[in-house]
Amino acid sequence: MTSFGNRSTPLARRVTAAALVGLALPLLTWVIAQAGLAFVPYTTSGYGWGRFGEGMVLFAGTVLFLLMASWPALWMLRVRPAWHVALPAPIAAVILWLLLDGVISRLIPNVLAVICVITTLAYGLTALLTTPGQPWWWWQQVPLMAVGGPPPTAPAPAAAPRPRLSELGIPLIAPHLPGYTIDHLATRSGGLRYVLRPSAPDPAADPAERDASAIAAIVRSRVEPPGEDSEYERTGPRTWRRATDTGTVYVIDRDDATITLRAGPRVPAEDVLQATTTLAPRPPTHFPAP
């Protein structure tokens, strides 16, 4: 946001910056149009080519300047997103001109001054009505849809509620693994699935690195363990292991369930050993929420 004073709010700074752009545009447009008229032959009287050429230069200069200069000007004054104001504001200026021209013209005889008032109001009001996060966000849809743009802000979809262990109907068979939290808890095809993540992950790690430090678990009703001809090697009583490109997979066969653990390559070996040897039914509060 622009810094027009430490006491002003971000909303006031946004509206003030946009209003200043609206005020400057007609003044600079008039300067550019006058400079352009120096290269167009015209006369100061009559209604022939001279008046037509003058009007065309003024009109073309105004339209081009509004379209080409308003967005970078708003962006430099930190009105973001700038196009949310740059696109609807000219339309708002036309509407205000049609509604207020008769009243303002009687109060202000100078045409250029009238245009400055109209564009200042148009850009200021457009910035106000397109402020992200404000209760009137839906007003933004009207001018933006008129120029073919999408609504700039939409309410974020509500996150799916995390299922409660007490409501799943499947016992939580999990290891005793201090320093880990349970995440992505879900039931699928009669099995309980969850992910164990370190309680204090590396803040600089990207999602792939964080997944490499996690243990994914699947708890199913007891199924046949891997056979002698499978890719798994037996590492202990009723425990099998297989190395993959994304970590190591363990299958632990119990009387009450069969658990599959996939440990990422960054999980410490002592944590993997504790995870495979301390599996037992746990209460819903065994792991703190992330």
Side-chain angles (χ1 to χ4, degrees):
M1 297 295 179
T2 55
S3 56
F4 293 105
N6 295 330
R7 297 182 180 180
S8 58
T9 64
L11 178 60
R13 293 196 296 269
R14 172 186 173 88
V15 173
T16 302
L20 288 177
V21 171
L23 174 63
L25 288 178
L27 298 175
L28 294 177
T29 299
W30 182 84
V31 173
I32 292 176
Q34 292 300 315
L37 287 174
F39 300 95
V40 177
Y42 73 100
T43 60
T44 58
S45 63
Y47 297 93
W49 161 249
R51 288 299 185 183
F52 181 76
E54 181 184 8
M56 286 297 294
V57 170
L58 288 173
F59 178 79
T62 301
V63 173
L64 290 177
F65 194 86
L66 286 174
L67 292 179
M68 296 175 62
S70 62
W71 183 90
L74 291 163
W75 188 86
M76 286 188 295
L77 291 178
R78 299 184 181 182
V79 178
R80 311 290 173 80
W83 70 273
H84 289 175
V85 179
L87 287 181
I91 298 176
V94 173
I95 295 174
L96 288 176
W97 177 275
L98 296 176
L99 295 176
L100 304 177
D101 178 40
V103 177
I104 297 179
S105 297
R106 286 195 296 267
L107 300 176
I108 306 174
N110 186 278
V111 176
L112 180 59
V114 171
I115 296 175
C116 289
V117 172
I118 293 292
T119 54
T120 300
L121 289 174
Y123 276 80
L125 288 174
T126 303
L128 176 66
L129 296 178
T130 59
T131 303
Q134 294 298 324
W136 54 79
W137 71 268
W138 58 272
W139 277 92
Q140 302 173 61
Q141 299 183 55
V142 178
L144 289 176
M145 289 177 64
V147 294
T153 305
R162 184 175 180 226
R164 297 181 181 178
L165 283 171
S166 58
E167 299 173 354
L168 294 176
I170 299 175
L172 172 62
I173 298 178
H176 176 66
L177 206 57
Y180 283 75
T181 59
I182 193 167
D183 192 16
H184 295 297
L185 182 64
T187 56
R188 190 180 305 169
S189 302
L192 176 66
R193 299 170 181 251
Y194 57 88
V195 177
L196 297 174
R197 301 187 185 277
S199 302
D202 182 359
D206 58 30
E209 292 174 335
R210 288 194 292 269
D211 288 342
S213 301
I215 301 174
I218 303 176
V219 181
R220 296 188 181 94
S221 299
R222 189 175 183 281
V223 296
E224 288 297 324
E228 296 294 335
D229 298 332
S230 69
E231 299 178 353
Y232 288 82
E233 61 173 332
R234 189 161 186 169
T235 60
R238 305 177 74 173
T239 304
W240 292 261
R241 178 181 63 189
R242 178 169 69 92
T244 67
D245 294 337
T246 58
T248 307
V249 179
Y250 292 84
V251 176
I252 300 93
D253 186 41
R254 294 167 46 92
D255 292 335
D256 52 0
T258 299
I259 299 93
T260 302
L261 298 178
R262 182 185 297 273
R266 291 179 178 266
V267 179
E270 57 271 20
D271 290 352
V272 175
L273 178 62
Q274 187 166 352
T276 57
T277 57
T278 60
L279 289 165
R282 308 291 179 181
T285 57
H286 178 67
F287 285 101

